[in-house]
Amino acid sequence: MATQARPQPLDGLFPRLFATRKLTLDLAAPLSDADATIQPFPDASPAKWHLAHTTWFFETFVLRDHVAGYQAFDERFAYLFNSYYEAEGARYERPKRGMLSRPSLDEVRAYRAHVDEALERALPGLPPAALELVELGINHEQQHQELFLTDILATLAENPLEPAYGELPQPVCFATEPLAWHRGREGIVEIGARDDGFAFDAERPCHRVFLAGHEIAARKVTNQEWREFIADGGYSTPTLWLSNGWACVQQEKMTSPLYWREDGTQFTLGGRRAIDWAAPVAHVSFFEADAFARWAGARLPTEAEWESFASSADPHLGNQLDAAAAVVPRPGGGIFGDVWEWTQSAFSPYPGFGPAEGAVGEYNGKFMSGQLILKGASCATPRAHSRASYRNFFPPHARWQFTGLRLARDA
Ligand SMILES: [Fe+2]
């Protein structure tokens, strides 16, 4: 007897789950146990921790909560690999994640295999609520794949031997394309995720906002333009900076984007290489992006302006992560990919926002303070993870992600 086909959107869920789980393992393949144990600074996590925490997420919210008789791989791991879920109890201190030489990388791989096998057995019989958590777990793991790459970049950048994570081709020297401006929509527009398809809770509900007359740059700010900003005293002119931004510049003795060296090279996942001047600038904070925009006689776009601008673009195109390999922003890309783009908008709830039910309600909502929205996708974002309504967020001083900007201005 023919079995009945599963209804959409669950078709494709299981292959996507196991492809996502495999990509994380592939990302870790070039690393030694020591590489995977280092935590370069408190906001970044060791590679090994990412491998284990994404596994804990499935073990806890899918297997423990929805599969009768599931046996945890190691009951003690919940304390080590819970990130920030208060409802899940006490956890190991975040700034000390790099102190964990045990479990070893191989033990963490065994933990992953244990959970993957249990998921494979359980999936065909899971109720819809659990399948939604599998979907959330896939998207969660994709977010950690990006963090994995940016955190290992920060780790390797600490080492004077300048080890490469992987190979990158040398840049082809394109000229920066001239800056063109796009007239934005004016009036009432809809932003946020509609009810079809996966989106994080913070992207909903879809709602109307008013856009005043404005223009938005057709491309992102490039390294060449950033070099001009530096040459013009950008990092030594306090009047260009927000007060908190200027404090950061002074405290960290900041003179360029993170990873730039004074000899025209930068540290990348491919080791030290020449700066590609036509590529979008990366590894700048919100404060730096804001100061640059002021220097350029422009401003950062609002989240709604950006989303309206990008609503007809295909978020699956552009320089994004397809396989486990070194990545770097490249010239000539589209709206999605290369670098996330800072906006001037705070990460705050949309009208009618309600967090997801249960412990996963802590996923986004509790971070709606002191964070700025970034839109788009980067070269480290797994392809098909992002969309126009996506709301990435980081504190304004954060620089270790692939973060850049696009200018906007009133019109
Ligand atoms: Fe997480």
Side-chain angles (χ1 to χ4, degrees), residues 49 53 57 83-85 140 144 363:
W49 190 90
H53 162 71
F57 192 94
S83 50
Y84 54 65
Y85 294 87
H140 172 252
H144 278 276
Y363 201 108

Side-chain angles (χ1 to χ4, degrees), residues 214-331:
H214 67 284
E215 292 182 326
I216 190 160
R219 61 156 173 80
K220 306 176 202 220
V221 168
T222 64
N223 286 321
Q224 172 60 31
E225 290 165 325
W226 205 273
R227 179 161 64 169
E228 291 161 16
F229 169 67
I230 294 173
D232 198 34
Y235 283 93
S236 53
T237 309
T239 48
L240 292 174
W241 295 78
L242 292 170
S243 175
N244 287 342
W246 184 243
C248 267
V249 168
Q250 291 183 299
Q251 195 180 328
E252 295 177 30
K253 299 183 171 54
M254 207 182 285
T255 57
S256 71
L258 189 64
Y259 306 134
W260 278 28
R261 308 284 161 84
E262 286 180 359
D263 62 356
T265 63
Q266 63 179 336
F267 188 74
T268 70
L269 285 165
R272 186 139 69 101
R273 71 205 290 271
I275 295 173
D276 190 340
W277 298 109
V281 68
H283 305 296
V284 294
S285 67
F286 165 80
F287 290 135
E288 289 169 281
D290 172 81
F292 178 95
R294 194 166 292 109
W295 170 79
R299 60 171 173 79
L300 295 176
T302 67
E303 177 174 23
E305 286 168 348
W306 193 99
E307 191 167 325
S308 169
F309 169 68
S311 59
S312 55
D314 184 348
H316 297 180
L317 297 180
N319 177 17
Q320 301 179 44
L321 185 70
D322 287 308
V327 293
V328 73
R330 296 193 302 253

